[in-house]
Amino acid sequence: MSTMAGAICIMCLTTLGAMLLLRKLKQPYLIAYILTGILLGPYVTGIFNNAEEIEAIGEVGILLFMFFIGMEINVPDSHSMLLQPVVAQSMKIALSFLLSFVAGYMLHLPTESVILIAILFLFNSTPVVSDLLSMNGLLKTSLGITILNMLIFQDVLFAPVLTIMNIWKGESFNTLNIFAIVIAAAACIAFFFMLKRVRGKRQLITPRFLVSLEKDHDLQVFTGLLICLGFGSMAEATGLSGALGSFIAGVYIGRAKTFRWLEHALHPFKVFFVALFFVSIGLRLDIPYLFQNYSFVLLGTLLVFISNSLLSAVVFRLLKFNWEQSLLGGALLSHTGEFGILALSIAYKMQLIAFTLYKAGLGITGLSLLLSTVWVSFLQHLGLSLRRSYSKAT
């Protein structure tokens, strides 16, 4: 057996063991993937040492995951429900920058660090939040739909953030850069027009030759992968995130009767590649650094949970959700996601932040993903206790 095959077998065995444990604890499997990465990473067993290569392969899983979200999501029929997530995320952006600059002023942080902290507040993990919504039966509710659409809007925002970071490191505007920004803006506008077009429609017209695929499993698999990854590649070519492109493909395909076989054909690929992506997050965590600076990392993670929860809860309350729903929505959006890890990596490679801040950011982000379900459960119980206290008082 080759070294690679043996390493993959060990990864599958470790993942399986962690998944069985977490199933007993009624926790999402994404935590098992991160734990597997930690156990098999360079700081524990050393079976896997190159997180970047595994992450690159695992990004296919994120594209497939977003494709499935697009197939399953209910695009709101109401015009206000389409605008609501945009308004919510815009308010969160304003509050995030305000909080970051206040914290930076009090702690005397450089401007670069303050802006990066604000960026980390902006992005959550769609796979983690979707799993939590599904576990809590919120995927089809107005709160769940609003949160999912906020996450999609975050994907749209990632391209402008990358552009800002490129300018930040000193790249000047030229014709090519301006053209890329125009293309990205046009793609964003086209995305919202597409949502408006499919709003309320449950069936869309599809080419006739695709009907024949319903009886050919091999063609189904490769056609499905081509559609998902092709749309992701086209989105990246226009400056948007590949995840957004795959989501758009899923929205269309989910409303085409001839593609009802696609979910069954691609589901195993989605599970495996999503697992690889989150394994790569575990591989990135510097365990010796976390132990040496555990108080700082734990305090930073707690501050991220509290500040992000409060920011998001205020936003949901302003959108007329009750306090219990607002607290739950804040808990679901309390962590920092995989785009935050990518932003940290880019900022470090551009020498915009110090190595210590990069390591601390990775540790806090990884820990926030790892403990997200614990935090959600805590705030759920807190909201329930507050409701009972209020009921007794009245």
Side-chain angles (χ1 to χ4, degrees), residues 233-256:
S233 299
M234 286 190 290
E236 288 182 347
T238 62
L240 298 173
S241 73
L244 179 64
S246 294
F247 172 81
I248 293 171
V251 169
Y252 178 81
I253 295 303
R255 283 153 184 77

Side-chain angles (χ1 to χ4, degrees), residues 216-226 261-262 265-266 269:
D216 195 322
H217 181 72
D218 291 346
L219 286 176
Q220 287 176 8
V221 171
F222 285 100
T223 303
L225 287 172
L226 177 62
W261 45 264
L262 197 53
L266 294 185
F269 293 92

Side-chain angles (χ1 to χ4, degrees), residues 345-387:
S345 301
I346 292 171
Y348 175 64
K349 289 175 183 176
M350 292 176 176
Q351 298 181 340
L352 298 174
I353 58 173
F355 182 71
T356 52
L357 182 58
Y358 170 66
K359 285 287 185 184
L362 282 181
I364 290 170
T365 301
L367 207 56
S368 73
L369 288 169
L370 204 56
L371 300 177
S372 56
T373 53
V374 177
W375 183 254
V376 170
S377 298
F378 169 72
L379 285 191
Q380 275 185 308
H381 284 101
L382 178 62
L384 188 60
S385 300
L386 290 174
R387 186 175 66 174

Side-chain angles (χ1 to χ4, degrees), residues 14 34-49 282-288 290-291:
T14 307
I34 298 175
L35 289 174
T36 299
I38 293 173
L39 292 173
L40 302 183
Y43 304 105
V44 182
T45 59
I47 293 174
F48 291 102
N49 292 305
L283 292 174
R284 284 175 176 271
L285 296 181
D286 189 334
I287 304 303
L290 295 180
F291 275 113

